[in-house]
Amino acid sequence: MIQIDSKLEDGKLTLKVAGRLDTNTSPELSDKLSCDGVSSVVFDFSELEYISSAGLRVLMSVQKTVMATGGSVVIVNPNSIVMGVLDMTGLSGVFEIVQDQGAPQQ
């Protein structure tokens, strides 16, 4: 199960993703990602419990699309499990990752 809250403001698309991002739920995230007129995408993963390779593919696709127009993609507040997956796959070096000091740690 996944919950996605999105907000588009001044060309910045913020997506707060909660639950599990896997083969079953990654299409829902893809459906929320219209990059038309978007200069930056922020994924708030403070409530994301798990991410699979299917979820990573969605992130990479967005990265490719947004970077092609000079934009940026930022991942905010991944927990230790999600951060571990990003580290193991080498994607922690591809994405800008920010840990907000006020975010709850899981």
Side-chain angles (χ1 to χ4, degrees):
M1 183 158 156
I2 194 166
Q3 179 179 344
I4 304 165
D5 295 321
S6 64
K7 179 173 75 170
L8 178 60
E9 188 173 286
D10 297 327
K12 177 180 171 184
L13 177 61
T14 302
L15 296 148
K16 183 167 186 166
V17 185
R20 296 176 59 88
L21 185 54
D22 55 26
T23 302
N24 295 322
T25 60
S26 61
E28 291 179 52
L29 181 59
S30 289
D31 290 346
K32 295 271 186 178
L33 286 164
S34 171
C35 293
D36 292 338
V38 172
S39 58
S40 67
V41 178
V42 176
F43 290 101
D44 180 346
F45 284 170
S46 58
E47 296 181 25
L48 185 66
E49 300 165 7
Y50 172 81
I51 189 167
S52 74
S53 60
L56 295 175
R57 279 191 296 277
V58 172
L59 297 182
M60 292 300 297
S61 175
V62 170
Q63 173 86 343
K64 182 178 179 182
T65 301
V66 173
M67 295 293 282
T69 61
S72 64
V73 176
V74 179
I75 296 173
V76 179
N77 301 324
N79 67 23
S80 59
I81 293 168
V82 173
M83 195 64 215
V85 171
L86 294 170
D87 284 339
M88 279 190 302
T89 59
L91 294 178
S92 60
V94 172
F95 293 100
E96 179 181 352
I97 299 173
V98 177
Q99 287 290 354
D100 180 4
Q101 301 301 334
Q105 294 296 310
Q106 297 177 354

